Amino acid sequence: ETGVTQSPTHLIKTRGQQVTLRCSSQSGHNTVSWYQQALGQGPQFIFQYYREEENGRGNFPPRFSGLQFPNYSSELNVNALELDDSALYLCASSQPGAMNTEAFFGQGTRLTVV
Amino acid sequence: AQSVSQHNHHVILSEAASLELGCNYSYGGTVNLFWYVQYPGQHLQLLLKYFSGDPLVKGIKGFEAEFIKSKFSFNLRKPSVQWSDTAEYFCAVNSPGAGSYQLTFGKGTKLSVIP
């Protein structure tokens, strides 16, 4: 167990709907990153939050947005869902402001868009 | 932009065989390198990491990796695999000076170990 928890574990949504995924970071970690892992692919960086502000973004459209709360938990929101958004969404937390550190991953949320 | 290439999509080995999984990255600056493993139904777990120093890095479960800067490579090795090593393995890189902690992953190598 890494101490990073994600909810829900599985989710089915219809194309065009909106979804919110949640992540609680490991104790003491104030940096949270979100990744999308499509079937048969490696995780792709969506964005990162550090001290409640977005601090880095990958090649994802604006309909992917996020929040980080004062307790460092985080949400990933996806609007106007498309079939290609079906994937495993991973949350990772890392130590405060440290570059030479490792990321701890949660078990992910499996999103299916139909 | 960084990229990571993992040469093998699927590797099938018998127990006790030796393993080497290839990983090459494209970024020419200072990098941190990682190997993660994903067992079926489980979260990504760190096998080993390289930040600096000795380029031969030892990780958990008997895995090791060698950083060869001139070849932009970070290959994963294990002298003798077990059935329990069946999993998907991901190589990843991040740039410490990038301003954000962003990992770039390869597409992964699925390892199947036959008893």
Side-chain angles (χ1 to χ4, degrees):
Chain A
E1 289 299 321
T2 63
V4 180
T5 58
Q6 294 186 242
S7 62
T9 53
H10 295 84
L11 202 52
I12 300 174
K13 288 287 190 177
T14 303
R15 190 171 49 182
Q17 285 188 313
Q18 178 265 344
V19 69
T20 298
L21 310 181
R22 295 178 175 83
C23 171
S24 295
S25 61
Q26 185 161 315
S27 177
H29 290 185
N30 64 5
T31 302
V32 174
S33 302
W34 286 91
Y35 291 80
Q36 180 195 67
Q37 187 178 11
L39 201 61
Q41 302 293 317
Q44 279 197 291
F45 177 74
I46 302 174
F47 45 55
Q48 175 184 284
Y49 278 83
Y50 173 61
R51 293 184 174 175
E52 302 177 55
E53 292 194 1
E54 187 179 292
N55 177 33
R57 189 178 182 93
N59 189 25
F60 280 83
R63 61 188 184 84
F64 285 78
S65 63
L67 282 173
Q68 188 178 31
F69 300 99
N71 66 355
Y72 305 132
S73 66
S74 178
E75 286 183 354
L76 164 66
N77 299 291
V78 187
N79 293 322
L81 283 166
E82 301 177 359
L83 296 178
D84 285 349
D85 296 333
S86 295
L88 181 68
Y89 288 84
L90 298 168
C91 170
S93 73
S94 51
Q95 290 177 1
M99 291 295 116
N100 287 346
T101 184
E102 64 185 86
F104 295 85
F105 285 83
Q107 285 199 300
T109 295
R110 174 75 62 188
L111 172 64
T112 303
V113 182
V114 297
Chain B
Q2 299 169 352
S3 66
V4 177
S5 297
Q6 292 185 240
H7 313 302
N8 310 100
H9 179 62
H10 191 185
V11 173
I12 302 172
L13 294 173
S14 298
E15 274 193 317
S18 64
L19 170 72
E20 181 160 1
L21 301 182
C23 172
N24 286 90
Y25 63 94
S26 66
Y27 186 69
T30 302
V31 292
N32 295 334
L33 296 155
F34 307 84
W35 276 98
Y36 281 87
V37 60
Q38 193 170 36
Y39 298 103
Q42 295 190 25
H43 61 273
L44 277 170
Q45 300 174 36
L46 184 70
L47 270 181
L48 46 80
K49 59 192 177 188
Y50 173 81
F51 293 152
S52 63
D54 189 344
L56 186 60
V57 180
K58 294 195 184 298
I60 61 171
K61 305 185 181 186
F63 286 90
E64 65 178 30
E66 185 175 11
F67 170 50
I68 303 179
K69 189 175 181 180
S70 61
K71 294 184 178 180
F72 299 92
S73 71
F74 191 56
N75 292 353
L76 181 71
R77 300 193 292 248
K78 186 171 184 179
S80 176
V81 295
Q82 301 172 317
W83 176 79
S84 58
D85 293 324
T86 295
E88 191 148 21
Y89 293 80
F90 294 94
C91 180
V93 60
N94 93 305
S95 309
S100 68
Y101 191 87
Q102 171 181 340
L103 288 169
T104 301
F105 284 85
K107 290 188 175 182
T109 297
K110 184 176 178 182
L111 173 66
S112 299
V113 180
I114 302 168

